[in-house]
Amino acid sequence: MGSKPYEVIVVGGGPIGSVLSRRLAQHGLRVLLVERRSSFNPPFRCTGLISPRCLKLSGLAKEAVLREIRGGYIYAPNGYSIQVESNIPKLYVIDRPRFDKLLIERAADTGVDVWLGCKVVRLENNKVWVERHGSYTTVTGRLIVGADGANSKVASCAGFPPIHNVLIGLQTVVPYRPKKDDFVEIFLGRSIAPNFFAWIVPAEDGLARVGLATDRIGAGYHYLMNFLNTRNLQPQSIRSGLIPIETRRRFVQGNVLLIGDAAGQVKPTSGGGIYPGLMATKLATKVIVRYISERLSERYLTTYERWWRSTIGSELKRGSLLRKSLNLLDDNILNYILKVLDHPHILRLIADYGDVDYPSRVVQKLLQHPAVWLQSLPFR
Ligand SMILES: Cc1cc2nc3c(=O)[nH]c(=O)nc-3n(C[C@H](O)[C@H](O)[C@H](O)COP(=O)(O)OP(=O)(O)OC[C@H]3O[C@@H](n4cnc5c(N)ncnc54)[C@H](O)[C@@H]3O)c2cc1C
């Protein structure tokens, strides 16, 4: 470690911090990436379900892909289920620790200085305090990026407005034989996971990732245990984490910029943050490169925020409306809706247009085809 000044210091070597660092270094910027973890081992508090489009954005090939997913069973609260099936892989299940490790290695290979096992504990103007094994060092950077996740230390040190709308996500790994190796299972219902859902995702052979998210932060563990016990599933260790489902009011303050979960860039429909965070790295890179190389004022950094809100941010806004609408439905209505959806034409539309990164597209398609709905209504 040294005290060499950097152009950009990125705090947090999750997927978003690593990819942003790599992109900046590819433009010739002098970048430091500081990551609290010193090793990358399972179990991990992420299901690792990402779209092929998201994998491509990460810059990795299929090195960390464990499985391809073609479809899913969606269960109503009363146990009734629908099956959505596509001919092509819609999702990948990734090995998240390996994914993170590979992305950090790629950043280092591109010329990023990487400090592992180092925790940022304080910021002041351009200075960052880093703690490692009880000793402290400082390092300076023209721009500080908080890519340090939902509990962002950078955001709290720099005085960003807090995110109020968060879920608790809990997950474990269980021995499991799925009905189909390339199908996920989604479980809806207030008694299962209030205001979100539970999932079973096949992962390594003979194992599945079982988890749920809910806005009942204090009761998440109880709901997960209940879900596991009623299915006679034996959990290994349980990991949990916060999922922000509301974007932060600001992403930029002075010379500090937030990205990924730290900025609340997460899909409110599924809780997935890897795709929107990676999209943000593309926008942030353009802005940061100009800010540094043309020595522009800090005000210019807010361009990143504007670009974000007018692109992927608007899909997240639609997702937020969708999530709020879904949360209004009680179990009886959910039972009814799944029954209505269980019609070959509707299931085909969902399979063809369902897109985990852009969920509003399938809703739009369904609304454009009222005839399909009418065919499936029980009182037609
Ligand atoms: C149970 C669960 C399941 C999920 N499943 C999915 C899924 O299937 N698909 C999906 O897209 N998303 C999923 N998510 C969300 C996903 O995990 C996050 O959106 C994603 O990890 C965000 O990436 P990030 O790089 O912004 O933050 P993180 O991955 O949280 O990375 C932040 C990094 O910062 C480091 N850090 C934190 N504080 C400091 C500090 N002070 N100093 C230095 N380093 C620090 C951390 O060690 C960490 O490595 C899930 C979340 C949960 C809780």
Side-chain angles (χ1 to χ4, degrees):
M1 280 185 206
S3 56
K4 179 168 100 174
Y6 286 91
E7 285 169 320
V8 185
I9 300 176
V10 178
V11 182
I16 312 308
S18 299
V19 169
L20 178 68
S21 304
R22 185 183 76 214
R23 286 182 184 273
L24 296 174
Q26 280 166 342
H27 282 84
L29 265 50
R30 214 165 48 253
V31 183
L32 170 66
L33 176 62
V34 186
E35 167 53 43
R36 190 172 55 184
R37 289 175 290 171
S38 51
S39 59
F40 299 82
N41 299 313
F44 207 85
R45 52 167 184 73
C46 175
T47 315
L49 267 182
I50 61 171
S51 64
R53 173 199 293 122
C54 178
L55 181 68
K56 195 166 170 215
L57 257 186
S58 76
L60 295 182
K62 288 195 179 170
E63 305 96 313
V65 172
L66 294 172
R67 197 177 281 281
E68 294 182 341
I69 299 294
R70 264 186 333 105
Y73 299 100
I74 305 174
Y75 292 89
N78 63 4
Y80 186 87
S81 70
I82 60 170
Q83 180 182 329
V84 180
E85 181 168 12
S86 163
N87 299 326
I88 51 164
K90 285 274 187 174
L91 293 169
Y92 295 134
V93 182
I94 55 168
D95 174 342
R96 215 2 245 275
R98 183 162 154 71
F99 185 71
D100 284 21
K101 184 168 180 281
L102 288 168
L103 289 176
I104 288 211
E105 286 170 2
R106 291 288 164 87
D109 292 346
T110 316
V112 174
D113 281 354
V114 178
W115 292 1
L116 290 183
C118 293
K119 183 175 165 190
V120 167
V121 289
R122 194 176 149 204
L123 308 180
E124 206 179 280
N125 301 324
N126 292 359
K127 210 181 251 185
V128 174
W129 272 256
V130 179
E131 188 248 334
R132 185 167 196 260
H133 298 319
S135 59
Y136 294 83
T137 188
T138 59
V139 59
T140 52
R142 193 163 153 223
L143 176 74
I144 316 297
V145 176
D148 50 342
N151 286 316
S152 174
K153 182 78 182 169
V154 172
S156 58
C157 286
F160 278 84
I163 297 178
H164 296 291
N165 209 350
V166 291
L167 306 174
I168 179 98
L170 303 103
Q171 185 174 266
T172 186
V173 176
V174 299
Y176 193 72
R177 289 267 154 240
K179 279 197 255 179
K180 287 190 181 173
D181 284 349
D182 51 0
F183 270 51
V184 296
E185 294 172 69
I186 301 291
F187 300 82
L188 308 173
R190 285 192 194 280
S191 61
I192 294 176
N195 292 334
F196 221 68
F197 56 83
W199 60 85
I200 300 181
V201 171
E204 292 84 354
D205 277 344
L207 296 175
R209 294 172 191 167
V210 180
L212 60 81
T214 173
D215 60 358
R216 310 291 150 87
I217 306 288
Y221 181 80
H222 153 81
Y223 282 109
L224 181 61
M225 289 315 293
N226 196 30
F227 183 77
L228 293 163
N229 290 338
T230 49
R231 284 159 189 82
N232 214 9
L233 298 170
Q234 304 300 325
Q236 298 176 8
S237 66
I238 293 174
R239 305 300 301 264
S240 67
L242 291 180
I243 304 178
I245 50 162
E246 151 192 276
T247 44
R248 219 180 267 275
R249 276 213 317 280
R250 280 197 297 282
F251 298 165
V252 175
Q253 200 152 286
N255 68 330
V256 181
L257 180 151
L258 302 179
I259 196 160
D261 273 23
Q265 295 165 341
V266 175
K267 291 172 278 182
T269 38
S270 63
I274 302 177
Y275 176 71
L278 289 180
M279 284 297 284
T281 66
K282 279 177 80 169
L283 306 175
T285 301
K286 284 190 193 156
V287 172
I288 295 171
V289 168
R290 267 202 77 191
Y291 168 73
I292 298 286
S293 54
E294 297 178 30
R295 304 200 72 78
L296 298 177
S297 77
E298 287 166 357
R299 255 175 65 106
Y300 175 71
L301 290 172
T302 57
T303 310
Y304 151 64
E305 195 172 311
R306 275 206 316 280
W307 284 354
W308 156 270
R309 295 203 193 275
S310 64
T311 53
I312 183 78
S314 57
E315 175 62 25
L316 261 58
K317 225 173 177 174
R318 287 190 284 274
S320 178
L321 276 175
L322 195 58
R323 168 54 47 212
K324 282 181 188 149
S325 316
L326 288 171
N327 289 355
L328 292 174
L329 308 176
D330 72 18
D331 283 3
N332 286 333
I333 300 182
L334 280 173
N335 292 336
Y336 178 76
I337 289 181
L338 258 79
K339 203 107 207 256
V340 171
L341 292 176
D342 198 4
H343 182 280
H345 289 137
I346 295 187
L347 296 176
R348 191 69 267 140
L349 272 182
I350 299 176
D352 290 346
Y353 294 98
D355 185 332
V356 72
D357 297 328
Y358 295 91
S360 71
R361 289 180 183 169
V362 71
V363 176
Q364 232 171 353
K365 273 285 161 208
L366 287 170
L367 295 176
Q368 279 167 6
H369 291 79
V372 173
W373 285 98
L374 291 173
Q375 282 174 43
S376 66
L377 288 174
F379 50 77
R380 67 186 184 276

